Amino acid sequence: MQLLPLAPGRLRQGSPRHLPSCSPALLLLVLGGCLGVFGVAAGTRRPNVVLLLTDDQDEVLGGMTPLKKTKALIGEMGMTFSSAYVPSALCCPSRASILTGKYPHNHHVVNNTLEGNCSSRSWQKIQEPNTFPAILRSMCGYQTFFAGKYLNEYGAPDAGGLEHVPLGWSYWYALEKNSKYYNYTLSINGKARKHGENYSVDYLTDVLANVSLDFLDYKSNFEPFFMMIATPAPHSPWTAAPQYQKAFQNVFAPRNKNFNIHGMNKHWLIRQAKTPMTNSSIQFLDNAFRKRWQTLLSVDDLVEKLVKRLEFTGELNNTYIFYTSDNGYHTGQFSLPIDKRQLYEFDIKVPLLVRGPGIKPNQTSKMLVANIDLGPTILDIAGYDLNKTQMDGMSFLPILRGASNLTWRSDVLVEYQGEGRNITDPTCPSLSPGVSQCFPDCVCEDAYNNTYACVRTMSALWNLQYCEFDDQEVFVEVYNLTADPDQITNIAKSIDPELLGKMNYRLMMLQSCSGPTCRTPGVFDPRYRFDPRLMFSNRGSVRTRRFSKHLL
């Protein structure tokens, strides 16, 4: 397979074209704001960066268990974050947050549809030119390589089709629309290539591994590189490679404290789940859980091949490798069969492992990080001046390097806009319009008014989640995760009203924040000061919000 970059370049004999090398003077001109920690003037080779992104891989329910090689090659050789979150537990909004470093209310991707701004014309025009890969390529002189699932509506005819290649990518190898393992179409630098169902040449996780290795063989050796590899696993349809289809036969979905119980005192969508679940539902989710793990074994192989190739080419010691997921997942928690989208830890918490120069091995960090921090961190690694971006996130490079006396955030925002159907589900005539993602036993995983926003707080004294729903009740859920890590008991009606009021104000502020105002101290930070001006949007208008009675 021949990898061709989008930018013209000279041809090496027997290899694909690559980006042209720069003279030192030209390189300094191109780099502009990228002469930070790894300054070219100091003669330091700027680090390479690899971002490995899985699809729907949880952290809470043991999602990293099958990835023994990944944990050994990345986690044990670097840092594992135990408190990594996504600002929205759904593929397209979360991926947009990774690329832009912004919360969903600032990048405006609210669901997995074109109407929800997922890979829409508006996204392409307004957000894609300002993603961190675009900055890496245009301002920092990085070769940029993408392989795998981009955004769920990528390739839609109404948004440019597969001919559209987002700004910022030297090499583009992207999946049309949502995750598949066979019988899919890829855009290779804007040209469609169909794949069938022959394992040896078509299994997508392996195809991504092979094209990534090809890039490492044929890239330019004169510029640093950034790779983003986005696997389909462990997203449905959970098709494992043939050699792994009998793995984990004795594995079942975890029977933790919130498995197959009624979600008392929770939002109506959680309360509507039938408890106990039927035997057929439990068998279905157990099988799904097992298959998800099976698909991850091929991801584990991909990671091993990639690390070995980086070591063979002499690049490993100068390369940061990030491993994470776009959102978590649940299998039977609160009697919800399988999905994501909900506000609970199992859906919003993800794995995050990082290795690279200056990171000591076998470290675990409890610092609160979010996927909006990935872009700023990677740009920081490249030496780019983060003050020139409009990103909401923070660079956690100082954490990776073991900085002492570091001032860090104490909360992050989680927000989700629910989806529903305008008609009654014909298989569930008893249900009113407005629900979606319904299972045969008429348990639904989403609805129009499953629209919520949360402040997830972690400080020396508090481990708290405060959430409000945008419905007629303005329903509130609050959890003390120190005492109740499974989020079984909603303490909204018993918590101190003054504290509840503070969390309400903080939530309003974060929902209106942009850039630096998203990084202001949280309620439990000693530096916290209430400033009503921060509850105004960028356009100077108050963000309207209804209050529940107990907050008035």
Side-chain angles (χ1 to χ4, degrees), residues 172-428:
W172 182 250
Y173 204 86
L175 176 68
E176 180 184 30
K177 296 195 174 183
N178 207 0
S179 285
K180 293 183 179 180
Y181 299 82
Y182 294 109
N183 298 310
Y184 54 85
T185 302
L186 295 172
S187 170
I188 303 178
N189 291 343
K191 295 183 178 180
R193 176 180 293 174
K194 293 185 179 294
H195 280 259
E197 52 189 16
N198 182 340
Y199 168 71
S200 63
V201 294
D202 296 319
Y203 189 69
L204 182 55
T205 305
D206 290 354
V207 169
L208 300 181
N210 292 335
V211 74
S212 299
L213 298 181
D214 286 346
F215 169 75
L216 291 175
D217 286 342
Y218 297 128
K219 64 176 177 58
S220 166
N221 292 322
F222 298 98
E223 296 88 30
F225 62 82
F226 168 72
M227 303 177 71
M228 184 171 178
I229 306 167
T231 71
H235 197 284
S236 61
W238 316 306
T239 309
Q243 67 270 29
Y244 296 132
Q245 290 178 359
K246 294 184 178 180
F248 308 120
Q249 290 303 303
N250 296 319
V251 168
F252 303 90
R255 268 51 170 177
N256 49 2
K257 290 183 179 179
N258 55 21
F259 178 83
N260 198 17
I261 67 170
H262 186 249
M264 295 186 297
N265 301 315
K266 289 177 167 49
H267 190 243
W268 75 267
L269 185 69
I270 309 302
R271 298 197 306 267
Q272 57 87 36
K274 294 178 174 61
T275 307
M277 291 183 289
T278 62
N279 289 336
S280 60
S281 291
I282 293 176
Q283 289 174 2
F284 172 74
L285 68 86
D286 277 337
N287 190 46
F289 186 89
R290 190 176 304 116
K291 288 184 174 181
R292 283 165 52 80
W293 276 22
Q294 291 170 354
T295 66
L296 285 169
L297 293 175
S298 293
V299 177
D300 210 28
D301 292 340
L302 182 158
V303 172
E304 180 184 41
K305 292 174 185 175
L306 189 72
V307 172
K308 285 185 174 179
R309 186 62 58 89
L310 287 167
E311 186 174 30
F312 177 77
T313 59
E315 300 276 11
L316 183 60
N317 291 336
N318 194 41
T319 301
Y320 286 87
I321 305 177
F322 294 73
Y323 181 98
T324 192
S325 172
D326 57 0
N327 49 255
Y329 208 71
H330 58 259
T331 49
Q333 283 62 48
F334 302 121
S335 299
L336 298 171
I338 57 167
D339 200 30
K340 50 265 185 176
R341 305 169 199 269
Q342 309 307 332
L343 59 86
Y344 308 103
E345 293 283 281
F346 43 73
D347 283 0
I348 64 174
K349 196 173 184 180
V350 292
L352 178 58
L353 292 68
V354 191
R355 68 170 289 172
I359 306 176
K360 295 179 181 178
N362 284 308
Q363 293 190 89
T364 299
S365 174
K366 296 181 180 179
M367 291 294 203
L368 179 61
V369 296
N371 71 7
I372 58 171
D373 301 329
L374 291 170
T377 302
I378 292 170
L379 289 176
D380 199 9
I381 288 170
Y384 188 73
D385 182 358
L386 297 180
N387 293 321
K388 296 181 178 180
T389 75
Q390 299 175 346
M391 295 182 175
D392 303 331
M394 305 169 63
S395 169
F396 55 81
L397 183 58
I399 298 175
L400 295 174
R401 291 188 176 156
S404 58
N405 300 319
L406 180 66
T407 300
W408 194 249
R409 68 154 67 92
S410 60
D411 60 18
V412 293
L413 173 69
V414 179
E415 50 191 350
Y416 177 71
Q417 182 170 308
E419 294 182 81
R421 301 178 62 187
N422 291 324
I423 59 173
T424 300
D425 190 322
T427 62
C428 300

Side-chain angles (χ1 to χ4, degrees), residues 13-62:
Q13 187 174 3
S15 71
R17 291 179 294 171
H18 62 91
L19 292 175
S21 59
C22 298
S23 68
L26 180 57
L27 190 58
L28 287 172
L29 181 63
V30 170
L31 293 181
C34 292
L35 296 179
V37 178
F38 302 101
V40 174
T44 304
R45 280 195 67 198
R46 287 169 299 143
N48 311 304
V49 182
V50 177
L51 173 58
L52 295 152
L53 180 66
T54 54
D55 197 351
D56 286 2
Q57 184 182 359
D58 68 276
E59 192 274 341
V60 171
L61 303 180

